[in-house]
Amino acid sequence: MRKTIVAGNWKMNMDLEEGLSLARSLDQYFRNTPSGKTEVIICTPFIHLTGVSDIIKGGSIKLGAQNCASEVSGAFTGEVSASMIKSTGAEYVIIGHSERRSYYHEDNDMLSKKTGIALDTGLNVIFCCGEVKDEREAGVHFNIVKCQLEEGLFNLDAEKMEKIIIAYEPVWAIGTGLTATPEQAQEMHKHIRSLVRDKYGNSVSDNMTILYGGSCKPSNAAEIFSNPDVDGGLIGGASLKKDDFVAIVEAG
Ligand code: PEP
């Protein structure tokens, strides 16, 4: 069964107490008002993981990190490994966010390595893909996403691929207030699902959750999520405000 998911990406926002306070209010809300068929994930900075994990224990919210190291363990000062993330109680990790690709020069090879390590550790991966503005304007966006998936993900076997959630995030829509139209989102999601189908067959592609990300907000979420190949969203800015995030989850 294909899952509907709304995942918040807190990015590098909120100190520890602010983050725990947001987690407490989300946890309280979703314990009293279950999110129905929509799974709710919050992807916090590393330092929040353990505290948030304690808060959400026994509730319905799931926890994720926003990145992990490309090595398993050892002398890699400042890095955080997939197994450290797992040990906090987190079940998900975002890999390949466009901010990691552009500011930290993470290429498809590195993302493929991180994805393999995260899956071997038992984490589920939210794998991001998406084109920049120039690529869309040049009409090469379908090819760009194809290449990101082929090089970053398609070395996985079918069993591992079932643990992947793909997030299509057009880079020109992230944090800009510009959103893909529902038609633009649907045509890219359909393209992604057909690439997965060509490589892995109907069962993997039909069951794959494909999220949309890029300036999703309460006013546009329902229309975007209503497309047949859009299975929820990865939410940046709006995930920092409890009421906005709840409204987006409820649009799922
Ligand atoms: C994101 O960073 O994953 C994202 C979708 O950001 P925003 O919702 O702020 O555009």
Side-chain angles (χ1 to χ4, degrees):
M1 272 296 291
R2 196 190 300 175
K3 272 190 198 165
T4 302
I5 294 175
V6 173
N9 173 14
W10 289 3
K11 309 196 187 193
M12 196 175 72
N13 290 297
M14 296 187 289
D15 67 17
L16 181 58
E17 198 36 59
E18 289 164 339
L20 296 184
S21 162
L22 176 57
R24 267 184 223 109
S25 58
L26 288 171
D27 177 67
Q28 204 172 25
Y29 182 87
F30 287 115
R31 277 181 206 256
N32 294 327
T33 319
S35 58
K37 65 174 183 33
T38 302
E39 184 166 296
V40 180
I41 305 172
I42 48 180
C43 298
T44 76
F46 294 129
I47 63 132
H48 296 77
L49 288 173
T50 305
V52 172
S53 177
D54 287 343
I55 290 167
I56 63 176
K57 205 163 281 165
S60 62
I61 299 177
K62 311 273 188 196
L63 181 62
Q66 302 167 17
N67 178 33
C68 69
S70 58
E71 302 292 336
V72 172
S73 67
F76 300 99
T77 302
E79 288 295 280
V80 176
S81 72
S83 65
M84 291 171 185
I85 293 167
K86 182 93 178 12
S87 72
T88 67
E91 296 172 67
Y92 292 86
V93 60
I94 298 173
I95 290 185
H97 192 280
S98 65
E99 289 150 17
R100 301 293 320 170
R101 291 177 187 264
S102 66
Y103 303 146
Y104 302 98
H105 313 294
E106 296 192 2
D107 60 15
N108 293 331
D109 279 353
M110 175 182 274
L111 299 174
S112 163
K113 198 169 170 206
K114 287 187 176 196
T115 299
I117 291 172
L119 292 173
D120 287 345
T121 307
L123 292 170
N124 299 291
V125 170
I126 301 174
F127 187 90
C128 300
C129 58
E131 79 286 356
V132 300
K133 188 162 172 274
D134 287 352
E135 292 163 342
R136 176 156 287 263
E137 284 171 357
V140 296
H141 45 295
F142 291 117
N143 278 341
I144 293 293
V145 167
K146 180 170 189 259
C147 176
Q148 289 171 338
L149 297 180
E150 282 177 350
E151 294 182 6
L153 277 186
F154 284 4
N155 61 330
L156 295 173
D157 62 26
E159 201 184 321
K160 287 196 169 144
M161 195 65 180
E162 283 167 358
K163 303 238 174 293
I164 300 287
I165 295 156
I166 293 177
Y168 169 58
E169 300 207 300
V171 181
W172 47 270
I174 296 180
T176 59
L178 295 174
T179 314
T181 63
E183 295 73 26
Q184 286 172 325
Q186 169 56 23
E187 66 175 1
M188 183 59 88
H189 282 230
K190 189 174 171 202
H191 171 65
I192 291 170
R193 201 177 301 287
S194 78
L195 292 169
V196 174
R197 180 172 298 115
D198 289 348
K199 172 81 183 166
Y200 293 98
N202 284 333
S203 163
V204 175
S205 72
D206 288 348
N207 289 326
M208 169 145 294
T209 296
I210 307 177
L211 307 180
Y212 169 79
S215 298
C216 228
K217 39 190 186 261
S219 59
N220 60 24
E223 199 184 2
I224 295 173
F225 297 170
S226 69
N227 286 289
D229 287 296
V230 179
D231 309 309
L234 179 56
I235 317 300
S239 73
L240 300 172
K241 295 186 196 123
K242 181 208 147 206
D243 290 347
D244 285 1
F245 188 61
V246 163
I248 294 171
V249 170
E250 288 176 349

